[in-house]
Amino acid sequence: MSSLPERVLEEIRELPAKYPQHRSAVMPALDLAQEELGHLTTEAMSEVAAALQLDPGYVEGVATFYTLFHLQPVGRHRFYVCTNLSCMLRGADEVVAHLRKAIGVSEPGEVSKDGLFSYEAVECLGACEYAPMCRLDHLYHYDLTPQKIDALVVARRAPLSAAAKAGRVPSPRKPSAPAAAPPKKPRAPRTKKNA
Amino acid sequence: MPEKSIGPNLPGRAHQRGTVGGPILTEWFATKDLHKLDVYESQGGYTALRKALTEMAPAAITTEIKTSGLRGRGGAGFATGVKWGFIKRDEPGPKYVVVNADESEPGTSKDRYIIENSPHMLLEGIMIAAYAVGANQAWIYIRGEYDEPYRMLREAMAEAREKGYLGRKPLGIDYPLDIQMYRGHGAYICGEETALLESLEGKRAQPRSRPPFPAVKGAWGRPTLLNNVETLATVPWIVNHGAAAYVKFGTEKSPGTRLMSVSGNVRKPGVYEVELGQTFRHVIMELAGGPPEGRKVKVFWPGGSSAPVLPESMLDTKTDMESLAAARSMGGSGGVIVMDDTHCVVRAAYRLLQFYAHESCGKCTPCRVGGDWAVRTYERILAGESSQVELGILERVSDGLQNGRCLCGLGDSAGWVIDSTLRHFREEYEDHALRHECNVGATPTALRATSPQVGRSARA
Ligand SMILES: Cc1cc2nc3c(=O)[nH]c(=O)nc-3n(C[C@H](O)[C@H](O)[C@H](O)COP(=O)(O)O)c2cc1C
Ligand code: SF4
Ligand code: FES
């Protein structure tokens, strides 16, 4: 059974033409797959491989190298909180501690019970003058405080009312991350070191 | 709710944090809507491209850049014009310009600042560079987390295509120019130029051994010019005003200005345009407002986390590359991280070693193994479970990472963090390792009591 709809596979098959060599299409293709499914399943990676005429092991090797590819289920809204030095010096650790409480998880990669949230503690996001900061739903959020974290969380718990207030439509992506609590698994290890 | 987009002049972005209206790079940054093509043109944008394409021979452009003394702003500080000269313009077949917009060096945010303020300035620089080295196609490799800069560049490129700056006949000249973007996916090593090329080719980003250099065999095996965002964004100004005007700024060997992103314990963190040769005292104490009330600067990283640290007593060090080399550090990425006296150097070094260990691509042994060793050693030291032995291990690991024992600069950088913090703050290390206490703050803390703070569950 195919996990990626034909529409996405079609889009993936068109990618290689954009690059001097077809291999370059692998990351944009994995992006499309991840955007569709929330995270990259083994089947999805195989389908990407088939669509690009690459070896499935190769595609998985690429996916596991880069931290923005998720091989485990993630929350529908993912907080990427910078915990590198400049943010740490301005309270990133407290931000992370507060965020955990706010979304009810105890470690990075764990998905909240309602399936809405997960977080990662990440390296410098290149916005150090606004430390502490995070990336959430493809936007940066600056000068974080516990209050700001709460506001971001609350707005996403009640997306419709908040969207109406902020004058924007909710994210078009389907809540494809499992609505029920997914089995708690440790974060997929980056396998770069035994390549 | 800070839900809105963060681009310049867009709702939600209260103000810029940094220089607007500076001498060179930020000259037009005070202009509202500068990211739009017509506004950029109204300031004089794209006149440099016109001049380059219609009045200058490609070799003359490269000569002008050479004469300007511009040096790469990505980290290594290599002479830009010399690098351009390495590309054989007449060699048949495709050649590429690849733009390093991976900006992941801790403490560095200047490339984002440039793109969000003036994406066309970068595009114009890329086009001039492509024309000078004989490339028709450029690729911007931009880190995946930069959603807003990506979107702004995409819009700017669409405008430039519409206007005919990009396309088959830019400005009516028979020289096709195209720019594409490629998004990274979260790996610091992709900033290293050969790892970046591997990634662009759809592979795991492990650095290549050199030679061959990218100028000979770069992207997809073709001659490639690789430059940082800021380097290329400086090019239009030089073409417009001439090298002679550029060298009036800065020092003899480090001419011009550069953007320094100042972060950490300062009152006004931001991205400042600094004339090279100004002191760090000026940058940190004046531009960035110095440390918070009642605190003192303890240490600063002068050029991103990879540049060896300098203690407060060296605040009068100048920002040009020669002065920094004399101080046993480097200009690096221009990211100035300031730490005040309420923070512990050993813990900061530990955090950075976690970073380098996590981001090691694993290709060479000293870096792969040494980073993890260092992290575990720091953990013992910070938990109060150490002796002279641990300090010895740190010294050996640090030595093993440096001086060409690794394939790329990431290994050296990790070594420099250990080496430079030990060199300037030996006593603080000894407090931890030998006396099992941390003397930061009003009263010494016994380390065992605070050990739970040490583990950072995000990385294990
Ligand atoms: C580990 C490592 C990370 C790097 N990261 C970046 C980066 O994020 N951006 C960048 O422009 N250069 C980075 N560099 C430097 C590049 O390898 C290269 O020197 C630079 O992009 C060349 O452009 P320039 O001559 O214009 O500075 C990095 C180097 C190393 C060793
Ligand atoms: S020094 Fe580290 S990051 Fe660089 S190639 Fe070697 S293992 Fe990879
Ligand atoms: S250290 Fe957090 S954004 Fe750079």
Side-chain angles (χ1 to χ4, degrees), chain B residues 257-326:
Chain B
T257 64
R258 77 178 298 172
L259 294 188
M260 304 189 104
S261 28
V262 190
S263 64
N265 304 128
V266 286
R267 275 182 270 199
K268 291 187 286 172
V271 180
Y272 297 100
E273 182 168 8
V274 177
E275 185 173 356
L276 289 163
Q278 298 260 31
T279 63
F280 280 95
R281 188 179 298 284
H282 171 72
V283 175
I284 294 171
M285 304 305 282
E286 284 166 44
L287 296 179
E293 193 67 42
R295 300 195 201 165
K296 288 204 284 276
V297 172
K298 178 180 198 168
V299 59
F300 61 100
W301 282 254
S305 66
S306 298
V309 301
L310 299 175
E312 190 269 346
S313 61
M314 294 175 84
L315 269 176
D316 288 312
T317 306
K318 295 192 170 128
T319 46
D320 61 286
M321 299 183 196
E322 288 64 43
S323 301
L324 278 162

Side-chain angles (χ1 to χ4, degrees), chain B residues 71-80 83 100 103-105 108 110-111 188 191-193 226-231 258-259 302-308 319 321 324-325 329-335 409 413 416:
Chain B
R71 294 167 66 169
R73 303 293 191 231
F78 194 83
T80 305
K83 195 189 262 189
N100 194 339
E103 186 154 73
S104 317
E105 173 79 7
T108 314
K110 64 182 178 90
D111 296 339
Y188 169 62
E192 195 281 337
E193 57 184 19
L226 216 144
N227 272 134
N228 168 260
V229 166
E230 183 184 350
T231 312
R258 77 178 298 172
L259 294 188
S305 66
S306 298
T319 46
M321 299 183 196
L324 278 162
S329 188
M330 58 190 226
S333 65
S413 302
W416 292 335

